[in-house]
C-alpha cells in the first residue's frame, strides 16, 4: 500500500510539473532588488565602457559579485522619478500610457506638480496606480505580484512601495498582490533611517514618512537598510520551509534622502576624504550593497541560490541637486548628463543586473536597451505564468531572450519617456515639461516650453552634449512622428498653455 | 493517462488526509473574534440566568445568531485588562505565570503602573510577550499562531495586537506567527475610529495610537470596525481559493475608548433615549456585531461555514469609569460588580460563544468555568496540531470536552487572577493590588494593601456583595494556600512595600 502511495506521489509530481507548468524544473524563486534614487555610476561595478572616478569612489562588492554570477545590462532604463517607475514595473506599461507621470503625494488628491506661470497642470493620475477600477485620478491595472500569488507564489514586499496615495487601494501592498508587507505604504522616502529615532515614529513628530512595521528595532542601533534585510530574511523562512516558490520585492528606501550616515560604513568614506554629505551617501550605498550580499548568502545557506533569480535595479537616476548632494549640481552621474527628474541619461539610465543560474551566463553583458516596464512580462515568463487575466495592455517586452543570448539586438524598438510635469520649482537640465524617445542609438527630446527639439547619438555622445537636431532633420521628423503617434494613442497627459487654454501641441506639430 | 492521474490524485488526497492528519475530515478553519473592553452584559444575548436591562439596551443580533448555532459559555473569564489577556491567549499561560500583569505601553521600557505612596513597582514584564528570548522585561513564549502556521495554516491578524511594546519583537504580529497583518501594532486603542480622520494618521497629529495599514479608506466615511472587516474578508480570499485551512485573529479595536459614534447605528440609540456617550458605546457594540454577521455571511457564501469554527470572546470587563462611560461609576456590568481593571466579576467575566458545526451542539450552554489561557490548547486540539515544540509550560486546559458534552463539570480546577499593579491613579472596587482565585463556586480575593481577604460564593452571590471570609475561615485558608503555592511556583511579581523594602507577603502569611 505505502509503495503504491509513493509511486502515485512520484508519478503525480512529475506529471504535474510536466503537464501543468510545461516544464520539468521547479519554478524559480524571484527577487527584485530595487534601490531608490541610485545613479548609473553609483557602484564599483562599471556599467560604462570605461571605469570612472565614481566607480572608484563607491564600494559595492556584492554588486560586483552579482555581475560576475549573472548578466549586466548596460542600457537599462527607468523613468526620471520614482512613482512612474514603480507603477511601470508593476503594470508593464510605459508612463505616458499609464499616466502616472510624476511622484504621488502620500496625501490623497494632491497634485505634486509645482505651480508654473506658463503652464496649467496636465491631467496625470496623481493618486497613482490602483488594482481596482473607478478610483479617482488613478490608473487601473493588474499588478504582476497578484498574478504570481494567484499562481501559487508566496509574495513578499519589503521596503518602499509608493504606488499610490493614502486613501486609494494602491497605497497598500496587500492590495497589490503581496501576502506579506513590511514597511511599504504611501510615502516615497523614510522620515529617518535610524532605529534610535524609531524611523520617525516619535509621538507628535511622526510625518507621513514615518516608516511603518519595524517596532522590533525601535530605540536600537539598527539602520533602516539592515532592519529591512533582517525582516525580508524572516519572511522567506515560511515559503522556503514549505517548498513554495517566492517572489520578494526587496525595495530599499536607501539611497533616497534624507542623507544620513550608515555608521557601519561612514567613517571609511570620511577617511578617504569625502565631505560629510557624500560620505553619508556612500555609506547609504554600501549599506544597500551589504543587504544584497546578505540576501545572496542566505540563499546559499538555504541551498536555493541555484533556483533563485536575482534582479538588481534602481528606480531613477541619482539625485543631482546640490545641496543636498555634494559637488557641482548635476555632475553626480558623470559621464551622464543631469540626474533624477531629467530625461537626459543621468535621470533615467540604471545599473541593472540579472542572475539566473542555468539561463543567464555568468559574467555576460547585454547592451540592448531595455526598460522598467519590461519587468512585468519578463518575470511572468521566468515564473512560467501566463498573463491572461489582466485589464491593461502592456508595453513592456520580455528581456529573457537577452539573458539566453546576450548578443541579440533590436534597434527597431522605441522607448519613450514623458514628463508633462513640473518636478522642481526651477527648471533644470532635462527637468520639467519634456518628452523623449530612443530608437537605436538616436534619442530625441521634446521641450514643451518652446516646442524645440534636441537630438543626440548616444553611441558617440553618451554625455548628450552635441545637439544634432539641425543636422538630421529627417531623424527629428521620424522620431517626432513616432513619439506623437504613441502619445496620441495613449492619450498621454499634456500640460495646458495658460495663454491659449490649449494643451501643448504634439511633437509632430513643429514648423 | 489523464484518468490515471485523476485516480492517483483522488487516491492520494484521501490517503493523505487519513494517514498524515489521522482523521478523515479536512482541517477546520478557525476564527477568534476578539472584542476589546466588552462587558459580560453588553449584548442582547443573555449570559446570565436572567434577562437584564443591559440585554434589552444593546442590540447584537449576530451574537444571538452565533449562540443559536453553537455553544454559549456562561462562566468564561479573562484578565482585568487587555495585554495580560492577549498574552495569556497567545501563550496559554495565566498572567501570574507570564508576568505581563498590566497593559503595555507602546513606548518601550515604560512601566505603565501609576505612582503609589505605599508600594514600589512589582517587577512585571512591562515590555510584554516576546517570541524570542532575552528581550528585557518580556516573557518569552511560543505563540500558537506560529505553531498553526508551521502546521500549514494560513494565519491572519486583523485589528488590535498589543502583545508588547514598540522596540520588542512581540509588537509585530508578523513575529508572532501571522502571515498577514492588518493594523496590528504596539498600541492598545485606536487614535480615531473615523476614516474621515485617517484613523489618526494626520501629519503632525499622529500619536502612537494612529491605526496603521488602512490607507485605502483615508478620507472616506468608513468606520474603523467596517474597514477591518472588509480587509479581513480580503485576506481570506487567498487561503479559501487555495483550499488551505486558515486561522483568523479578528481582534476589533471596538469597543475601546475613544467613544465615537458609528453612524450606522448611533441615531437609533439616541432615539431610544440614551445619552450621547452611551449611544456612542451602543453604536460601537452594534457595529462590532455587524462585523460578526458579515463574516458569518461570507463563510456561508463561500460554502465553508460548515468547516469553520467561530469563537467569540472579549478581553476584559466593560469599562466602568464614568466619565467617559455614562451612568454611575462601576454600575455598567450589572449584576456583576465593578468593571475593567477589577478582579470582581465585572472586570473579568466575558461573553464567550463557540460555533463548531458537527461538534458543538447548536444552542447548547456550558456552565463550566474556563479562562482565556484555555484558548491555546483548545485551538491546537481543534486544528489537530500537537504543541510539542514550545518553550513555555502552559496553564490552560482545552475546553473542547465541554463542547462535546456541555454537561461535564470540574469543580477541582482553580483559576487565578493577579494584579500587583496600579492601573488607576485612585483605587476602585477590586482595582489595583489584588489577587483572586476561583475554585468551584468559591472565590477568594487578596487585598495587597492591607493583606485582607474577601470570600464570595458566586452561585448564590454573583454580585459579590456578601463577604463570607469571617464565616468560612477554612475556605479562606484552603484557597489562600492554593493561591500562594501557585504564585510562589510561578515567581509571580509582587509590589514592594516602600516602608519595609520587602515584597507584599503571600496570602498564606495571614495571621
Amino acid at each position: 500500500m505505502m509503495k503504491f502511495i509513493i509511486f502515485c506521489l512520484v508519478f503525480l509530481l512529475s506529471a504535474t510539473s510536466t503537464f501543468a507548468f510545461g516544464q520539468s524544473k521547479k519554478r524559480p524563486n524571484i527577487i527584485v532588488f530595487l534601490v531608490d534614487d541610485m545613479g548609473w555610476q553609483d557602484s564599483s561595478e562599471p556599467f560604462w565602457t570605461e571605469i570612472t572616478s565614481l566607480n572608484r569612489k563607491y564600494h559595492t562588492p556584492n554588486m560586483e559579485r552579482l555581475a560576475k554570477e549573472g548578466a549586466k545590462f548596460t542600457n537599462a532604463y527607468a523613468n526620471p522619478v520614482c512613482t512612474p517607475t514603480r507603477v511601470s514595473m508593476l503594470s508593464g506599461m510605459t508612463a505616458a500610457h499609464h499616466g502616472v507621470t510624476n511622484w504621488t503625494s502620500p496625501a490623497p488628491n494632491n497634485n505634486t506638480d509645482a505651480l508654473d506661470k506658463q503652464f496649467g497642470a496636465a491631467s496625470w493620475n496623481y493618486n497613482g496606480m490602483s488594482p481596482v477600477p473607478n478610483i479617482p485620478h488613478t490608473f487601473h491595472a493588474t499588478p504582476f505580484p497578484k498574478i504570481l500569488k494567484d499562481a501559487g507564489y508566496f509574495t513578499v514586499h519589503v521596503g518602499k512601495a509608493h504606488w499610490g496615495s493614502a486613501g486609494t487601494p494602491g497605497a497598500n501592498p496587500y492590495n497589490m498582490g503581496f501576502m506579506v508587507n513590511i514597511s511599504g505604504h504611501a510615502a516615497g522616502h523614510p522620515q529617518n533611517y535610524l532605529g534610535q529615532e524609531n524611523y520617525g515614529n516619535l509621538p507628535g513628530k511622526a510625518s507621513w514618512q514615518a516608516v511603518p512595521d519595524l517596532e522590533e528595532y525601535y530605540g536600537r542601533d539598527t539602520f533602516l537598510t539592515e532592519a529591512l534585510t533582517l525582516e525580508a530574511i524572516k519572511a522567506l523562512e515560511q515559503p522556503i520551509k514549505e517548498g513554495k516558490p517566492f517572489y520578494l520585492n526587496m525595495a530599499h528606501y536607501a539611497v533616497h534622502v534624507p542623507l544620513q550616515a550608515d555608521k557601519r560604513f561612514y567613517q571609511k568614506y570620511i577617511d578617504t576624504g569625502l565631505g560629510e554629505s557624500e560620505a553619508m551617501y556612500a555609506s547609504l550605498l554600501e549599506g544597500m550593497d551589504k543587504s544584497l550580499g546578505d540576501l545572496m548568502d542566505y540563499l546559499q545557506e538555504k541551498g536555493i541560490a541555484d533556483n533563485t533569480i536575482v534582479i538588481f535595479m534602481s528606480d531613477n537616476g541619482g539625485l543631482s541637486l546640490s545641496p543636498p548632494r555634494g559637488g557641482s549640481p548635476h555632475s553626480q552621474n558623470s559621464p551622464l548628463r543631469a540626474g533624477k527628474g531629467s530625461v537626459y541619461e543621468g535621470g533615467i539610465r540604471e545599473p541593472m543586473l540579472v542572475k539566473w543560474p542555468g539561463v543567464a551566463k555568468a559574467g555576460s553583458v547585454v547592451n540592448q536597451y531595455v526598460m522598467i516596464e519590461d519587468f512585468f512580462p519578463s518575470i511572468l515568463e521566468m515564473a512560467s505564468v501566463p498573463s491572461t487575466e489582466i485589464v491593461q495592455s502592456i508595453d513592456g517586452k520580455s528581456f529573457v531572450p537577452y539573458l539566453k543570448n546576450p548578443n541579440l539586438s533590436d534597434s527597431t524598438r522605441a522607448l519613450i519617456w514623458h514628463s508633462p510635469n513640473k518636478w522642481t520649482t526651477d527648471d533644470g537640465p532635462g527637468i520639467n515639461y519634456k518628452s523623449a524617445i530612443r530608437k537605436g542609438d538616436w534619442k530625441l527630446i521634446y521641450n514643451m516650453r518652446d516646442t524645440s527639439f534636441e537630438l543626440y547619438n548616444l553611441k558617440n555622445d553618451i554625455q548628450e552634449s552635441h545637439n544634432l537636431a539641425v543636422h538630421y532633420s529627417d531623424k527629428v521628423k521620424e522620431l517626432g512622428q513616432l513619439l506623437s503617434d504613441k502619445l496620441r494613442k495613449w492619450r498621454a497627459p499634456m500640460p495646458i498653455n495658460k495663454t491659449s487654454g490649449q494643451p501643448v501641441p504634439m511633437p509632430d506639430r513643429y514648423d
Side-chain angles (χ1 to χ4, degrees), chain A residues 442-473:
Chain A
W442 291 99
K443 180 170 167 190
L444 181 78
I445 294 174
Y446 176 54
N447 301 301
M448 299 179 194
R449 285 232 184 263
D450 56 6
T451 63
S452 70
F453 293 100
E454 295 167 55
L455 181 72
Y456 299 103
N457 187 304
L458 295 173
K459 191 173 182 182
N460 310 323
D461 181 22
I462 199 171
Q463 293 91 341
E464 296 171 285
S465 57
H466 303 293
N467 180 358
L468 303 175
V470 292
H471 304 294
Y472 294 85
S473 58

Side-chain angles (χ1 to χ4, degrees), chain A residues 24 29 36 50 84 267 306 321-322 362 414 467 473 476 488:
Chain A
S24 58
N29 309 305
D36 197 16
E50 295 176 25
Q267 190 58 40
D306 283 349
L321 305 177
S322 174
N467 180 358
S473 58
V476 171
R488 278 201 190 89

Side-chain angles (χ1 to χ4, degrees), chain A residues 303-341:
Chain A
I304 56 170
D306 283 349
N307 195 37
T308 302
I309 299 168
V310 180
I311 308 176
F312 183 99
M313 184 64 170
S314 175
D315 69 341
N316 49 244
L319 185 68
S320 66
L321 305 177
S322 174
R325 290 293 306 276
S328 318
H330 305 299
S331 69
Q332 292 80 353
N333 297 286
S334 174
L336 306 184
R337 190 170 176 187
K340 181 179 181 179

Side-chain angles (χ1 to χ4, degrees), chain A residues 159-205:
Chain A
K160 171 170 163 173
H162 205 195
W163 300 298
S165 299
T168 71
N172 187 349
Y174 189 64
N175 294 329
M176 302 298 255
F178 290 101
M179 294 163 70
V180 172
N181 167 38
I182 298 159
S183 300
H185 62 151
H189 66 83
Q191 187 175 349
N192 198 308
Y193 281 98
L194 302 178
Q196 293 94 328
E197 304 277 330
N198 297 4
Y199 312 110
N201 296 279
L202 294 169
K205 292 187 183 173

Side-chain angles (χ1 to χ4, degrees), chain A residues 73-203:
Chain A
F73 285 73
T74 61
N75 280 264
Y77 288 101
N79 293 306
V81 294
C82 62
T83 309
T85 287
R86 287 158 198 266
V87 170
S88 286
M89 179 176 149
L90 253 64
S91 67
M93 302 171 74
T94 191
H97 192 180
H98 61 56
V100 186
T101 52
N102 200 359
W103 62 283
T104 52
S105 167
N109 302 314
N110 190 7
N111 189 331
T112 55
D113 285 7
L115 288 178
D116 191 68
K117 284 184 184 165
Q118 183 186 6
F119 291 141
S123 63
W124 66 286
N125 288 314
Y126 50 77
N127 278 336
M129 170 175 168
S130 172
V132 295
N134 304 321
I135 307 294
H137 308 298
T138 68
F139 186 81
H140 175 211
T142 308
F144 77 78
K146 187 176 180 308
I147 302 169
L148 290 179
K149 184 178 87 166
D150 289 348
Y153 268 74
F154 190 95
T155 52
V156 177
H157 172 82
V158 178
K160 171 170 163 173
H162 205 195
W163 300 298
S165 299
T168 71
N172 187 349
Y174 189 64
N175 294 329
M176 302 298 255
F178 290 101
M179 294 163 70
V180 172
N181 167 38
I182 298 159
S183 300
H185 62 151
H189 66 83
Q191 187 175 349
N192 198 308
Y193 281 98
L194 302 178
Q196 293 94 328
E197 304 277 330
N198 297 4
Y199 312 110
N201 296 279
L202 294 169

